[in-house]
Amino acid sequence: MQAEKKDIKSLLPEEVSSVLADLGEPAFRAKQVYKWLRGPIGSFEDMKNIPKALRERLGEEYYIYTPRVLRKQVSGLDGTTKYLWELRDGNAVETVIMRYKHGNTVCVSSQVGCRMGCAFCASTIGGKVRNLTASEILDQVMYSERDSGLPISNIVMMGIGEPLDNYDNVLRFLRLVNDPEGMNIGMRHISLSTCGLTDGIDRLGENDLQLTLSVSLHAPDDVTRNKIMPVNRSCGVEKLMDTCRRYFDRTGRRISFEYAMIDGVNDSRAHAQRLAALLRGTGSHVNLIPLNQVEESPLKPSKPENLRAFMAVLEENGINVTVRRKLGPDISASCGQLRRKRELEKSSENVE
Ligand code: SAH
């Protein structure tokens, strides 16, 4: 049986060098091949300055895939652009470009689906299908930029999936996107959002990267958090906060906390006071997110007056707080919803 081909675009520069050295090629060839891999090539044949025999030899062992646009939606209100990409095995993931005054930010997915089971999130409904490779994450940045013509200056890993549940590929992606030979996007322009996998946060801390870590807290106590985030049952709020402190001590980077405001679940005055007590003195930032309603879920966004009161309690306690602006409201831009729609359409096609 023929061995399955490997993803050459996910290799790090030193790995490409060693593959080519093993084939008896000089060092400059490795540099040439790597340069092609960071560009928009469709196959090994596109590597014009590489001898045909070597291209064919690489093609026997590796594949090159270019994602295809399945759907594209552009908000008529604010220009938010959303892509659904088809991957090599027919799976699909979403990417969103958000346009801000300071530049364009791309929101990338890290897995096909998610297994974290958060009660309010569309991405987790069908569970996790598989991890994305590093190049599948990188391609979302590169091909969204190329297709839209919008230069990307910032990346948020806040799309479908839990990045720290795909740790090795995500780290590889971060190195590739940061590479001066590639997109050369600085770590300080990258945010990674996690539901709070403490082992992953510790591992990330050891790498001492200058990216911004966002933790999806969504509740200040175990009773509330257990209800909406199953991950909390194996690691409660206290252990999570200890891990966050350790991360800050190692990296010197303040963590930002996300808090989706859900009507009657986590948005009372008492919740706000507990949250303030939890974060007092940490210098952390809280981003309140008005809940995006997911069709399959009974959870509703908080009433505006409750959101305002919640925010006021945090401010009175000296906590740095902002409310996330809703972008692309006309194209249901929150992640997971477009892929979910396609899954539903596919299953109804199968029924007919
Ligand atoms: N797995 C990562 C990234 C997921 S999405 C994480 O959990 O952080 C990025 C953010 O959007 C997370 O804070 C997530 O909890 C939040 N989110 C998911 N569904 C949402 C919804 N329906 N409304 C508002 N925020 C949501």
Side-chain angles (χ1 to χ4, degrees):
M1 205 181 77
Q2 221 190 344
E4 209 175 301
K5 290 193 183 180
K6 294 176 283 191
D7 173 16
I8 195 167
K9 291 202 299 185
S10 286
L11 298 183
L12 299 170
E14 62 271 22
E15 292 169 334
V16 172
S17 295
S18 95
V19 165
L20 283 140
D22 288 349
L23 293 174
E25 295 291 336
F28 77 89
R29 279 277 178 249
K31 283 212 161 58
Q32 287 174 328
V33 169
Y34 182 74
K35 210 168 164 57
W36 283 113
L37 295 177
R38 295 287 67 87
I41 48 168
S43 73
F44 286 101
E45 274 166 41
D46 292 343
M47 299 182 168
K48 298 294 179 217
N49 56 359
I50 306 297
K52 189 156 184 273
L54 178 58
R55 281 186 266 149
E56 284 175 0
R57 175 67 189 82
L58 290 171
E60 285 164 15
E61 200 173 332
Y62 295 95
Y63 66 82
I64 287 176
Y65 177 76
T66 309
R68 192 169 71 89
V69 179
L70 278 177
R71 256 172 231 181
K72 176 182 179 182
Q73 295 179 322
V74 182
S75 164
L77 301 172
D78 56 33
T80 300
T81 304
K82 185 165 179 170
Y83 290 98
L84 187 69
W85 300 105
E86 185 172 52
L87 306 176
R88 186 165 175 259
D89 61 358
N91 276 304
V93 284
E94 277 166 59
T95 309
V96 183
I97 303 180
M98 296 161 291
R99 307 187 62 178
Y100 298 106
K101 280 198 200 80
H102 61 265
N104 301 311
T105 296
V106 67
C107 175
V108 296
S109 298
S110 57
Q111 295 177 317
V112 179
C114 183
R115 62 184 181 128
M116 295 300 137
C118 299
F120 44 82
C121 182
S123 301
T124 203
I125 292 171
K128 176 179 127 178
V129 178
R130 70 168 173 88
N131 285 330
L132 293 185
T133 64
S135 76
E136 284 172 330
I137 308 175
L138 187 64
D139 278 346
Q140 295 174 59
V141 184
M142 187 168 81
Y143 286 100
S144 312
E145 180 175 82
R146 291 186 70 81
D147 184 89
S148 65
L150 300 168
I152 301 293
S153 48
N154 293 279
I155 301 175
V156 293
M157 302 203 74
M158 293 189 180
I160 298 171
E162 167 50 48
L164 297 184
D165 186 37
N166 183 16
Y167 187 88
D168 292 337
N169 292 334
V170 164
L171 255 270
R172 208 169 251 279
F173 156 70
L174 291 171
R175 281 202 53 195
L176 292 176
V177 80
N178 186 228
D179 186 355
E181 291 280 314
M183 298 199 73
N184 196 17
I185 296 184
M187 285 292 167
R188 286 183 180 248
H189 294 259
I190 302 177
S191 294
L192 184 150
S193 178
T194 176
C195 64
L197 298 182
T198 47
D199 289 351
I201 296 175
D202 277 330
R203 281 178 78 189
L204 195 66
E206 283 156 18
N207 278 283
D208 199 8
L209 302 173
Q210 291 300 294
L211 52 73
T212 300
L213 181 64
S214 295
V215 170
S216 301
L217 192 57
H218 303 324
D221 62 88
D222 287 334
V223 175
T224 314
R225 202 164 187 264
N226 284 345
K227 279 191 213 153
I228 50 177
M229 299 183 74
V231 65
N232 197 70
R233 293 178 207 146
S234 51
C235 158
V237 171
E238 198 183 322
K239 183 172 169 206
L240 176 58
M241 296 310 290
D242 285 345
T243 310
C244 289
R245 259 187 295 277
R246 232 178 359 258
Y247 183 89
F248 173 66
D249 290 344
R250 279 205 192 115
T251 64
R253 302 285 295 163
R254 286 212 171 88
I255 290 179
S256 157
F257 292 94
E258 291 153 279
Y259 199 104
M261 295 290 291
I262 314 174
D263 187 38
V265 174
N266 64 356
D267 64 346
S268 69
R269 205 182 157 74
H271 283 118
Q273 282 161 342
R274 249 178 267 153
L275 181 62
L278 197 65
L279 300 182
R280 198 170 294 135
T282 63
S284 294
H285 175 258
V286 177
N287 198 211
L288 299 176
I289 318 173
L291 186 81
N292 269 304
Q293 204 160 345
V294 173
E295 254 174 57
E296 291 87 342
S297 159
L299 301 174
K300 302 256 176 307
S302 297
K303 297 185 178 68
E305 61 270 28
N306 292 343
L307 181 90
R308 275 195 297 274
F310 195 97
M311 193 167 171
V313 171
L314 293 179
E315 281 171 341
E316 281 157 22
N317 282 278
I319 310 282
N320 189 352
V321 54
T322 47
V323 178
R324 185 172 298 171
R325 195 157 55 94
K326 200 170 159 70
L327 289 172
D330 50 335
I331 58 166
S332 72
S334 88
C335 252
Q337 304 197 3
L338 199 56
R339 174 174 170 266
R340 180 85 196 122
K341 251 189 220 160
R342 175 174 180 255
E343 294 291 305
L344 291 173
E345 283 165 15
K346 270 202 320 202
S347 58
S348 67
E349 276 163 22
N350 292 342
V351 169
E352 277 162 13

